Amino acid sequence: MTMTRHHVLIKLRVFLPVLILLSALALTPAFSVPSINVSVQSIGACTAERYWIDVNVTNLEGTALINQTFNATIPSDRIPAYSRLRAGNVYVVDENGNPLYYWVMRRTSKIFTVFFRIPSIEANGWRVVRIYYGSDNPYRSYRKPGEIFVYFENFNRLKKYPHVDTGIFDGSQAFTSKELNVSRSKLVVNSTISTWFSSTAKEAQLTTLTVDDSYDVVFKFRRKSDAQNADSYPFYMFIHTKVGNRDRYDYIGIHESNSAFHFEFGNDRSGTYETTEKAGKQYYLGRIFVSPQGSSGSVEKFSNGALIDSHTFENNNRFRNRDVSVGFGQANADFFATVNLLAYVDWVYIVRHVNYDVEITAMGAECSFN
C-alpha cells in the first residue's frame, strides 16, 4: 500500500514565514551530488532573519529505525542565501520544533552535507525535519557527532593507536611516537619505511567493530607525499579480521607506481587488486561498506569543494559476525628502497547502514518586512 506523504509545517512563534520554494526535490542519501533544478522565487522586501529547508526522510527498510542517522546532501547553488550558511549557524529540529543531534560534514563553495539523528521512524514510514541556517544557533550543544555515529574521531588530540598486523603486506610494524601527530584537527601520518627483500608496512588500529549488521566506515583524507619513483602506499584505510590462520581484510589506499598515484582497492579473496584513475593531492572521501555477507566501497575525489571523480569496488569477502579492526597504514612495497610517506586524515566515522530516501519538500525564510 502506498502511503501519502504529508508536508508538516513547524509552528512559527516570532517571524512571518515567506515561502521561497515548494516542490519535492529528490536527494541522494550518499556522497554524490544530486542533479536538481530549482527555481528560487524572490522574497521581495523581506529582511530574512533565518532560512530553513524542510527535508522528508522515508524509511525504506521493512523494520522500524530507532535512533538512526541520516544525511542530506545539497548543491550550494540550490540553497537560497548560501553565503549566510555557516557550519556554526546550522541546526536541525523535528516537526514539533524539538532539536535533533546533528553534524555538518562539509560546507564548501559547491556542496553542503548535514547529518542528523531521528529518534524513530516506523517501517516504511517517514519524518520531516527542518534545517535552519543563517542566524544565531540556539542548539549548539546538539552538535554532537558522538551521539549520531557508532564511532567518531575528528583528531582533536593525539591518542594511542595500537599496532595491528593485517597481512595486507608481508610484514608490518608499529608507528613510532614521532610519526603520528595532530595539527589543525588533522591526523598527520608521516613515516619513513625502508625495505630489503620484501614489502613492509606500518599499521595502527583506530577502533574495533562487531559486524552484527551493515556498517559504513567513512573517512576524509589526502596524500601529501611527492613521487619517489618507488612502489609505495602513502595512505590506506582498512578493515581486518582473523579467520583461522588467515587474514581477511579490505582496504582503500593510494598507490604510487611508476611515479604515478592511483587508487587501490583491496580484495584478498582473489589475491588481486584494482587500480583506477590517477589520484592527486586533493581531498578524498573514502567509504568501506561491511556486512556479515561481504564488503564494498567507494572513493570520491574533490577539488575546490567540487566532486570531480568517483570510483567504486566490491568483493565477496565474508566477515560474518566477527570483530574487525578499523585502522590506517602506510607501506613500502619496493625492494632495497627507502621512502618518506606523508598523509592527512580529517576524520573517521562509522554509521549503521540502512536504506532510506531523502526529499526536500520546501525552502523558506522567516523574516520581517521593510
Side-chain angles (χ1 to χ4, degrees):
M1 180 176 68
T2 302
M3 303 180 71
T4 304
R5 296 181 183 274
H6 298 279
H7 169 57
V8 181
L9 291 178
I10 298 175
K11 296 180 179 179
L12 304 176
R13 300 175 180 175
V14 180
F15 306 112
L16 177 65
V18 176
L19 185 65
I20 296 178
L21 173 70
L22 186 56
S23 61
L25 307 176
L27 298 183
T28 303
F31 299 125
S32 56
V33 181
S35 176
I36 303 174
N37 294 318
V38 179
S39 178
V40 179
Q41 302 173 8
S42 172
I43 59 176
C46 168
T47 301
E49 302 290 343
R50 60 180 177 176
Y51 296 85
W52 51 265
I53 303 171
D54 279 353
V55 175
N56 192 353
V57 181
T58 301
N59 176 6
L60 300 180
E61 299 285 340
T63 59
L65 296 177
I66 305 299
N67 289 328
Q68 178 61 40
T69 297
F70 306 92
N71 80 71
T73 296
I74 312 171
S76 60
D77 59 1
R78 306 300 190 252
I79 300 177
Y82 188 64
S83 62
R84 294 274 302 272
L85 190 155
R86 295 287 184 268
N89 65 31
V90 173
Y91 61 95
V92 185
V93 300
D94 66 14
E95 59 264 39
N96 297 313
N98 300 313
L100 301 176
Y101 288 112
Y102 71 95
W103 177 58
V104 177
M105 186 184 82
R106 58 187 171 188
R107 188 277 183 205
T108 73
S109 61
K110 301 294 184 181
I111 197 169
F112 167 66
T113 299
V114 61
F115 283 73
F116 45 86
R117 190 185 79 180
I118 297 178
S120 66
I121 307 181
E122 60 273 18
N124 304 311
W126 64 85
R127 290 288 184 276
V128 174
V129 302
R130 175 165 287 191
I131 304 165
Y132 276 110
Y133 65 95
S135 65
D136 292 337
N137 183 351
Y139 297 121
R140 291 181 183 273
S141 62
Y142 281 79
R143 183 188 177 275
K144 290 186 176 180
E147 294 287 341
I148 62 178
F149 296 119
V150 175
Y151 169 82
F152 180 81
E153 177 59 75
N154 61 349
F155 304 108
N156 284 330
R157 60 184 177 87
L158 189 64
K159 300 177 182 177
K160 292 183 178 180
Y161 307 108
H163 172 245
V164 56
D165 187 354
T166 65
I168 298 174
F169 297 93
D170 291 340
S172 76
Q173 311 162 15
F175 286 97
T176 68
S177 59
K178 295 181 180 180
E179 292 173 330
L180 299 178
N181 190 25
V182 167
S183 176
R184 298 182 179 179
S185 294
K186 294 178 177 59
L187 177 65
V188 183
V189 189
N190 187 359
S191 72
T192 298
I193 304 178
S194 299
T195 58
W196 293 95
F197 296 100
S198 62
S199 61
T200 188
K202 294 187 176 181
E203 297 179 325
Q205 175 183 285
L206 287 171
T207 188
T208 59
L209 172 69
T210 302
V211 187
D212 56 0
D213 205 335
S214 298
Y215 296 92
D216 287 313
V217 180
V218 184
F219 47 101
K220 181 182 179 182
F221 70 102
R222 71 182 174 104
R223 65 101 184 168
K224 186 66 175 176
S225 300
D226 291 322
Q228 300 182 66
N229 193 29
D231 188 6
S232 63
Y233 294 75
F235 180 80
Y236 58 94
M237 195 83 186
F238 63 79
I239 56 174
H240 167 264
T241 190
K242 281 284 189 181
V243 182
N245 294 323
R246 293 189 57 195
D247 297 288
R248 185 164 295 179
Y249 55 77
D250 229 330
Y251 67 89
I252 295 175
I254 292 181
H255 181 198
E256 180 194 353
S257 178
N258 298 321
S259 298
F261 293 89
H262 295 81
F263 295 114
E264 181 168 306
F265 309 129
N267 181 347
D268 70 325
R269 291 282 290 193
S270 64
T272 62
Y273 60 82
E274 175 187 4
T275 58
T276 58
E277 298 298 325
K278 290 183 178 180
K281 288 187 178 180
Q282 296 92 342
Y283 272 99
Y284 310 100
L285 290 182
R287 180 182 68 92
I288 301 175
F289 167 82
V290 60
S291 72
Q293 290 73 39
S295 58
S296 63
S298 62
V299 169
E300 291 187 344
K301 180 178 179 180
F302 291 85
S303 180
N304 296 321
L307 177 67
I308 59 175
D309 210 353
S310 63
H311 313 283
T312 61
F313 76 96
E314 61 181 329
N315 62 46
N316 57 353
N317 284 321
R318 296 194 64 172
F319 290 89
R320 300 187 184 274
N321 293 319
R322 297 179 174 91
D323 290 342
V324 301
S325 294
V326 179
F328 59 93
Q330 295 178 321
N332 183 352
D334 220 319
F335 300 102
F336 302 102
T338 297
V339 295
N340 177 252
L341 306 170
L342 176 60
Y344 299 144
V345 190
D346 285 47
W347 41 254
V348 180
Y349 71 76
I350 301 175
V351 66
R352 192 179 300 273
H353 179 94
V354 296
N355 295 311
Y356 62 95
D357 178 66
V358 180
E359 288 183 338
I360 291 178
T361 57
M363 297 181 181
E366 295 177 0
C367 56
S368 57
F369 286 92
N370 297 328

